[in-house]
Each structure stands twice: as structure tokens, then as C-alpha cells.
Amino acid sequence: MHDIKKQTERILRDEANAILGLIPKIDHNFEEAVDLIYNCRGKVVVTGVGKSGHIGKKIAASLSSLGTPSFFMHATEGVHGDLGMVDRNDVVVAISNSGETEEVLNLFPSLRIIGAKIIAMTGNPNSSLARKSDVVLNIGIEKEVDPLGLAPTSSATATLVIGDALAVVLSGLKKFSREKFGVFHPGGALGRKVLGGKDEENESAYD
């Protein structure tokens, strides 16, 4: 059990260091990404496959929950018709740690025809994904925490944290309120706590 405790402590420490390693990477590109989404007249479309796709679903959910309308589009489904959900007024956040994920790159010809702006989230700022995108967010980490150094662990954490940062910064810029949060969470304890004292017929928390 002692070895398990030590190993777990190392894993948590390495994951934390991966997050801290992102701080120097927050530059004008992050500001441009925030500006692009803030001024978006449509929705934010998050896309990816595999673990990046799972993280992308959470990023889309967090954006929507905090006042930036967003949805997730699986990249594979995208090239089989779901690109019809994307509009020229949308901003697409394309996630691929390697920046060479074929399913994600296959979206680009159609996305350019549609006219949506594209933000890449990748660990390789020199990748095909980065070169094809309008804005690049560098989520690169030194190593994964699994013994093989292959499973998306620290890289997935880094992606999630940058997604959280985008959602929270945008929420602040939009002056997203507790009342609006409650409107978006009517079925949960948080929403009931916020909206509990309101007269639903006479008050609009969204105005």
C-alpha cells in the first residue's frame, strides 16, 4: 500500500506540473481565441475523436453552462453529414494533441467552404492542424503520466484545463450572472438554490 500511495502522489504531482507548464503558453493566441468566441454570432462547435472527443464534450458543456452556446460534434460523424450543423457564423474548436488526427483534418475542406473560423487545440503548434487553423492554442505537455508515456493522461488534463479557462474567462467578459446560471440549471440543486426565491411568473432571470 505504501508504494501505491507514493505512486499516486507522483501521478498527482506530475499532472499538477503539467497544468502549471501551460502558464507560459498563455499568450496572444489565447486572447485571440477568447476574442473570436466572444464576438461569435453563432455557436461554438467543439470537435475531436477518442479521448480528445470525450474532453471536447465536457468543454462544450462548460461553455454552454457558463453562457457561451456550444455543442460537440464528433469528427467522424462530421464528415458523414453532421457538418450540416455548422454555420458560417460559428467558431469551431478542433482538438487533437498530435495535430495530425485524420478524422479532424478531414473536416477542414468543408469548414473552409462553410466559412466558420477555426481554433486549434493541439500539443504540436507546428502540426497540420495548427497550420490550417485561424488561431492555435498550445496544450503541449512534457510527458504523459502513465508508465508507457502513451495514454492521453496529462495531455487530456491540459486540454480540459484550457477549455475551462476559456469558458470562465468568457463568462466573466459576458458578465454571466448567478441568476442566468440558475436558468440553465433548473433541475439541479445549484439552480434551485439560485432561483428558489424568484417568482417564476413575474421575474425573468435572463433579462
Side-chain angles (χ1 to χ4, degrees):
M1 291 299 292
H2 180 66
D3 288 342
I4 291 175
K5 180 176 182 294
K6 287 182 63 175
Q7 184 180 12
T8 303
E9 289 174 349
R10 177 192 62 78
I11 291 169
L12 295 179
R13 193 174 295 110
D14 286 350
E15 291 264 21
N17 286 334
I19 294 173
L20 292 175
L22 295 172
I23 294 175
K25 296 181 173 69
I26 302 301
D27 55 14
H28 68 280
N29 288 289
F30 187 85
E31 295 176 346
E32 288 179 18
V34 169
D35 186 63
L36 202 59
I37 296 174
Y38 181 77
N39 291 296
C40 174
R41 292 183 295 169
K43 289 182 169 59
V44 177
V45 183
V46 185
T47 189
V49 296
K51 302 302 185 293
S52 293
H54 293 307
I55 297 298
K57 290 178 183 178
K58 196 277 180 181
I59 292 174
S62 293
L63 285 165
S64 295
S65 183
L66 290 171
T68 299
S70 178
F71 65 89
F72 176 77
M73 178 187 71
H74 195 284
T76 302
E77 298 297 337
V79 296
H80 288 281
D82 279 4
L83 275 165
M85 297 187 291
V86 184
D87 183 80
R88 65 186 302 271
N89 294 315
D90 295 335
V91 172
V92 175
V93 178
I95 306 173
S96 168
N97 188 45
S98 68
E100 302 295 341
T101 304
E102 184 177 359
E103 294 91 339
V104 174
L105 294 175
N106 286 343
L107 298 170
F108 275 69
S110 293
L111 288 174
R112 287 309 181 195
I113 293 172
I114 292 168
K117 294 294 185 180
I118 305 170
I119 298 170
M121 293 183 69
T122 178
N124 183 1
N126 298 312
S127 62
S128 300
L129 177 63
R131 291 195 302 271
K132 293 173 180 289
S133 299
D134 299 298
V135 180
V136 180
L137 298 180
N138 185 351
I139 54 170
I141 50 99
E142 289 188 8
K143 61 179 181 178
E144 304 285 7
V145 297
D146 79 290
L148 298 176
L150 297 174
T153 47
S154 298
S155 60
T157 300
T159 307
L160 180 62
V161 169
I162 292 298
D164 282 345
L166 282 173
V168 173
V169 169
L170 286 160
S171 177
L173 290 174
K174 294 181 177 185
K175 296 180 172 55
F176 189 71
S177 66
R178 286 172 53 87
E179 288 73 23
K180 289 181 181 179
F181 183 89
V183 169
F184 294 164
H185 299 75
L190 290 173
R192 289 193 296 272
K193 181 179 179 181
V194 173
L195 295 178
K198 286 193 173 292
D199 183 336
E200 294 181 1
E201 294 184 359
N202 299 320
E203 292 194 51
S204 172
Y206 196 78
D207 293 338

